[in-house]
Amino acid sequence: MNQLKLRASQFPILDKCQGMLSEPECLKIGNISDVATMGTDAHRECAKFVKSDEAPDFKMLNDDIRIPVSIAWDMWDRSLGTLDDVEYPALRGFFPDPMVEYALEYPFGMVKLTGHPDLFGFTVVGASDSNLYDLNVLDWKAGYLIKDYLPQLIAYASLAYQNYSGMTIRYINLINAYVRKDKGQRFVSYRMTSNEVSIIFSNIIQKIENYDGESFTTGEHCQYCPLRSYGCDAYNRT
């Protein structure tokens, strides 16, 4: 297999099934839906307030994105509350020097991985001159789609870790921040060691590198897989 150029955003599906690798067109960026456009616009406004650390002018936002951006600002500016008996501060506390939508790229074996994390950064552990850090990665989610986005966060963390090496990492905090209009769960957070992240990431890369070009695994992820548009026999049989 030649080196594959893949995006971190493809990892939630590739972790479940590697079938899209059999059709090169699936690996390209497809048409953008209205929902995706709304999400992109909301992300753009979130990026602005993270960089400036100033509240958006909500009156100037169109109706489609006013609520998601408002929810995101509340999460940035106020305590997130308690999850699994852990009190989470406002998101601002995780990102004293935020890196917003940086284009990252790194070769991992036969996979050339690219990605644009919505937000990542490092916090010093202990004294200010310490070389011990936590790596924090956040992804805003304006839609429903796939339930398990951990593989995408793992991919972003791996890119950030490789592109900003030289630091000793204590923990990697991975956060999905949901800015949907419903009243459901607002965030999902994972705290892992760099070794734990490396093991999960390596397992996904191994699945990709070992793909035989014929095997498919069906499941909930199929409805979001681009291979459907090219006649996935496994999906059509379900």
Side-chain angles (χ1 to χ4, degrees):
M1 181 187 294
N2 297 325
Q3 189 175 52
L4 289 167
K5 187 171 184 178
L6 301 176
R7 303 189 305 278
S9 59
Q10 295 169 323
F11 269 45
I13 292 177
L14 286 171
D15 181 45
K16 303 292 189 300
C17 174
Q18 299 77 55
M20 73 166 75
L21 299 176
S22 64
E23 174 51 66
E25 290 297 315
C26 289
L27 306 181
K28 298 179 180 179
I29 298 177
N31 295 326
I32 300 176
S33 66
D34 291 340
V35 173
T37 299
M38 182 189 73
T40 300
D41 291 343
H43 278 64
R44 186 178 299 113
E45 293 301 323
C46 291
K48 288 180 182 177
F49 75 64
V50 168
K51 291 177 180 178
S52 67
D53 201 21
E54 296 179 357
D57 185 350
F58 296 107
K59 298 189 297 296
M60 298 300 293
L61 301 179
N62 67 48
D63 293 340
D64 286 338
I65 67 171
R66 185 179 298 116
I67 291 177
V69 175
S70 176
I71 294 170
W73 171 254
D74 282 347
M75 297 174 76
W76 180 257
D77 193 47
R78 304 176 185 175
S79 171
L80 294 177
T82 302
L83 179 66
D84 297 332
D85 297 323
V86 177
E87 182 70 23
Y88 283 81
L91 288 175
R92 178 190 286 110
F94 288 94
F95 304 98
D97 296 300
M99 301 183 186
V100 183
E101 296 183 347
Y102 278 33
L104 302 178
E105 183 176 291
Y106 196 84
F108 297 94
M110 301 172 78
V111 174
K112 186 174 185 179
L113 183 63
T114 66
H116 293 74
D118 289 338
L119 180 58
F120 73 97
F122 301 87
T123 49
V124 179
V125 178
S128 59
D129 60 350
S130 170
N131 196 42
L132 183 63
Y133 294 84
D134 286 346
L135 167 58
N136 308 303
V137 181
L138 178 142
D139 198 42
W140 305 109
K141 293 297 182 189
Y144 292 85
L145 300 183
I146 301 169
K147 290 182 178 179
D148 181 15
Y149 284 102
L150 179 59
Q152 182 177 3
L153 291 170
I154 290 284
Y156 284 149
S158 300
L159 283 168
Y161 184 80
Q162 293 296 336
N163 279 269
Y164 293 86
S165 58
M167 301 178 182
T168 302
I169 301 298
R170 182 186 63 165
Y171 291 118
I172 298 177
N173 296 305
L174 307 171
I175 304 170
N176 270 334
Y178 294 97
V179 293
R180 304 181 299 226
K181 296 181 180 181
D182 66 84
K183 302 293 184 181
Q185 187 173 12
R186 284 293 172 228
F187 73 103
V188 176
S189 177
Y190 309 87
R191 170 169 283 192
M192 301 180 178
T193 65
S194 56
N195 187 56
E196 289 170 331
V197 168
S198 177
I199 290 172
I200 296 173
F201 181 73
S202 296
N203 286 339
I204 300 174
I205 293 293
Q206 188 173 26
K207 291 177 187 178
I208 293 170
E209 292 182 337
N210 293 339
Y211 180 58
D212 60 11
E214 300 176 353
S215 302
F216 300 87
T217 303
T218 58
E220 182 186 16
H221 56 275
C222 290
Q223 60 189 306
Y224 311 115
C225 180
L227 189 59
R228 288 187 309 150
S229 302
Y230 297 90
C232 176
D233 291 337
Y235 176 77
N236 291 334
R237 289 195 298 269
T238 60

